[in-house]
Amino acid sequence: IPGIANTSDKLYIKTFVRYALTANFRVVVMNHLGALKGYTITSPRIFGYGHTDDMDKLVTIVRHRYSCEPMILLGFSMGANIITKFLTEKPERQGLFLGAVSVCQGYD
């Protein structure tokens, strides 16, 4: 998951995706709702950094589509905060993943 106000169009995300694909990983990038230029928002709301429902929906879709594949979460900056919140607000979610990587996560 990209950091605040970033999307799959950012160089650091594209670079990570390229390396992961080269290592034979299947990659999914979650763009924050309303952050990707050129796309009309059709949802009745915009993305909020305190919400993990978009993340939950994405994980459900990916698990359904690739049920036999192990999953690893990776988040950069604010994206790291989102995956940490996602995994801790419902601890049973933790069992769905081999692991999670938090890169440059802010904290207080």
Side-chain angles (χ1 to χ4, degrees):
I1 299 183
I4 193 167
N6 288 295
T7 66
S8 57
D9 284 342
K10 294 297 182 181
L11 181 60
Y12 75 99
I13 297 295
K14 289 180 177 182
T15 300
F16 174 80
V17 168
R18 185 178 71 246
Y19 281 116
L21 291 172
T22 300
N24 293 319
F25 284 93
R26 195 180 308 252
V27 180
V28 175
V29 177
M30 185 181 94
N31 286 309
H32 306 299
L33 187 61
L36 195 60
K37 293 178 183 171
Y39 288 86
T40 303
I41 297 175
T42 58
S43 171
R45 63 169 182 79
I46 61 170
F47 177 75
Y49 287 102
H51 302 283
T52 58
D53 48 335
D54 293 335
M55 176 83 192
D56 189 48
K57 182 69 173 175
L58 177 64
V59 168
T60 300
I61 291 168
V62 171
R63 286 187 65 230
H64 177 73
R65 193 168 292 170
Y66 306 105
S67 60
C68 64
E69 299 288 335
M71 295 189 296
I72 299 170
L73 286 175
L74 175 91
F76 295 93
S77 190
M78 185 59 78
N81 287 16
I82 293 168
I83 67 167
T84 301
K85 184 175 189 284
F86 175 77
L87 291 172
T88 57
E89 65 189 4
K90 292 185 180 177
E92 62 274 14
R93 291 174 171 162
Q94 296 169 19
L96 302 174
F97 303 92
L98 288 176
V101 180
S102 168
V103 180
C104 296
Q105 180 172 356
Y107 65 92
D108 186 293

